Amino acid sequence: MTSNEIRRSFLEFFQKNGHRVVPSAPLVPGDDPTLLFTNAGMNQFKDLFLGREKRDYTRATTSQKVMRVSGKHNDLDNVGPSLRHHTFFEMLGNFSFGDYFKAEAIEFAWTMLTEVWKMPADRLVVSVFKGEHGIPRDTEAYDIWRKFVPAERIMELGSEDNFWQMGDTGPCGRCSEIYYVRGTGMDPEIEVWNNVFMEFERSADGTLAPLPAPSIDTGMGLERITAVLQRKDSNYDTDLFMPLLTRIGELAGATYGANPQTDISMRVVADHARATTFLIADGVIPSNEWRGYVLRKIMRRAMRHGKMLGLGEPFLHEMVAVLAREMGDAYPELRTNRD
Ligand code: GLY
């Protein structure tokens, strides 16, 4: 399956199961001063979780443009050496706003992975919250998972892994992750799905208050699931990155995969070219402050690594054509805002 087919099949599965397909929100959050950039699929639904807003649907599914370059979720320094981290990525998600809860969310995830995408069930390992910091063990999630997986494939982990929040404040809850055991490469186990059981709002003093209704927020990186489904050990070996890496190679006279040091620079350029293109398409302009400063930092980093690859002339703009061609169907702004 191509990444475009994987994205489409996810949205179609949830649409068939009563979810509204909602377009990705821009990378610049509308009216949330707590966020530098959209950092999760749930951001655009924050007020629905908090009960401050109602819409004409209680189930939604999205493929959300996400940046993780600051605050609670920051992967900037991993980009280059890592084969699974990105500054910009696409997060697939299904959401329930006081509609279904743990039992349905777990069953949806399991059906999507094992029946729609036909992943081998015996290669999937899951985790539940073990109980920590006064928040009890997630016995309910554990019991639901036992219907699908044997006890030895259910890990019990603490807040670091199994309690999710978008920032220091806001909706949050215990979560349950699904890992694929590929057994090879730099990441022999890779997290592919995060089911967040939204139950609390954290306030600035750290206290947790119950949400008006238990809700579901899931997140899965399209880049990781594409790597697994395309049987690659690295996100960068998928059709989401190879066209960029090939173009960088053409410009620099290099071949991706031939030299570990060069590969790091090629991955940085590919990742940062995506971030740059999607940010500018959403109206961010490089500058000396706030969001524009982060964009400028990312662009300068890409240019530095380009220089290390021997690229003496401006090259970053060359990546836009590749992205408009490969991703413009899913994100038309890449074409309309190309200039
Ligand atoms: N909001 C769920 C996640 O980002 O993993």
Side-chain angles (χ1 to χ4, degrees), residues 39-42 68 73 89 91 95 164 166 177 191 193-196 198 217-220:
N39 71 357
M42 53 71 66
R68 291 206 164 164
H73 303 282
F89 66 98
M91 180 169 274
F95 306 91
W164 196 89
M166 61 171 263
E177 296 181 321
E191 179 212 324
W193 196 304
N194 188 15
N195 266 306
V196 184
M198 287 291 189
D217 154 35
T218 74
M220 64 153 24

Side-chain angles (χ1 to χ4, degrees), residues 26-321:
L27 284 167
V28 178
D31 55 358
D32 193 336
T34 70
L35 278 178
L36 182 68
F37 294 117
T38 297
N39 71 357
M42 53 71 66
N43 294 167
Q44 66 166 317
F45 304 118
K46 183 175 167 185
D47 283 348
L48 275 86
F49 289 121
L50 296 175
R52 292 185 192 141
E53 190 192 335
K54 288 262 180 281
R55 296 195 190 158
D56 64 345
Y57 53 85
T58 54
R59 297 177 177 204
T61 184
T62 58
S63 172
Q64 173 65 51
K65 299 179 283 188
V66 158
M67 288 286 298
R68 291 206 164 164
V69 286
S70 65
K72 205 154 208 67
H73 303 282
N74 186 350
D75 289 327
L76 183 61
D77 290 336
N78 291 319
V79 173
S82 168
L83 303 179
R84 66 186 164 91
H85 286 100
H86 310 290
T87 53
F88 165 87
F89 66 98
E90 289 175 77
M91 180 169 274
L92 301 172
N94 57 287
F95 306 91
S96 151
F97 313 111
D99 187 318
Y100 61 86
F101 200 41
K102 294 182 192 182
E104 295 90 334
I106 288 175
E107 188 170 350
F108 279 143
W110 192 253
T111 307
M112 185 75 226
L113 293 175
T114 62
E115 290 181 25
V116 181
W117 286 334
K118 306 212 178 320
M119 287 167 67
D122 60 0
R123 289 209 172 212
L124 297 174
V125 170
V126 305
S127 66
V128 297
F129 185 64
K130 69 176 181 182
E132 204 173 48
H133 308 311
I135 304 166
R137 172 181 185 261
D138 199 343
T139 305
E140 191 187 352
Y142 181 91
D143 290 343
I144 298 165
W145 270 124
R146 282 292 287 110
K147 295 180 197 151
F148 300 97
V149 291
E152 65 269 20
R153 283 198 280 120
I154 307 179
M155 299 183 287
E156 302 207 21
L157 305 174
S159 317
E160 189 71 18
D161 298 282
N162 281 141
F163 193 91
W164 196 89
Q165 50 198 72
M166 61 171 263
D168 292 330
T169 60
C172 55
R174 293 172 289 185
C175 62
S176 171
E177 296 181 321
I178 307 175
Y179 299 81
Y180 178 73
V181 182
R182 29 156 98 107
T184 53
M186 207 157 97
D187 304 296
E189 291 104 38
I190 184 143
E191 179 212 324
V192 292
W193 196 304
N194 188 15
N195 266 306
V196 184
F197 309 124
M198 287 291 189
E199 283 181 279
F200 310 107
E201 176 177 8
R202 192 183 288 282
S203 18
D205 66 4
T207 52
L208 294 174
L211 290 180
S215 295
I216 291 293
D217 154 35
T218 74
M220 64 153 24
L222 175 71
E223 294 73 7
R224 287 189 188 177
I225 195 66
T226 299
V228 170
L229 294 176
Q230 294 183 354
R231 297 182 202 286
K232 306 289 187 193
D233 285 343
S234 161
N235 295 5
Y236 292 87
D237 291 343
T238 68
D239 66 349
L240 286 162
F241 285 93
M242 279 315 290
L244 285 168
L245 292 164
T246 302
R247 185 74 188 114
I248 296 162
E250 283 166 6
L251 294 168
T255 304
Y256 183 66
N259 173 327
Q261 208 50 42
T262 309
D263 285 353
I264 290 179
S265 290
M266 291 177 85
R267 285 196 291 270
V268 171
V269 173
D271 174 277
H272 290 10
R274 280 169 30 115
T276 298
T277 304
F278 275 89
L279 282 172
I280 293 176
D282 273 354
V284 183
I285 297 294
S287 75
N288 287 342
E289 53 186 24
W290 189 220
R291 295 180 174 119
Y293 175 72
V294 176
L295 169 59
R296 197 174 83 155
K297 188 161 89 173
I298 290 169
M299 293 175 74
R300 288 174 69 152
R301 204 159 171 255
M303 291 173 203
R304 193 171 73 242
H305 280 270
K307 217 164 199 178
M308 285 155 73
L309 291 167
L311 290 164
E313 298 293 318
F315 64 92
L316 212 40
H317 63 289
E318 298 277 355
M319 304 299 123
V320 177

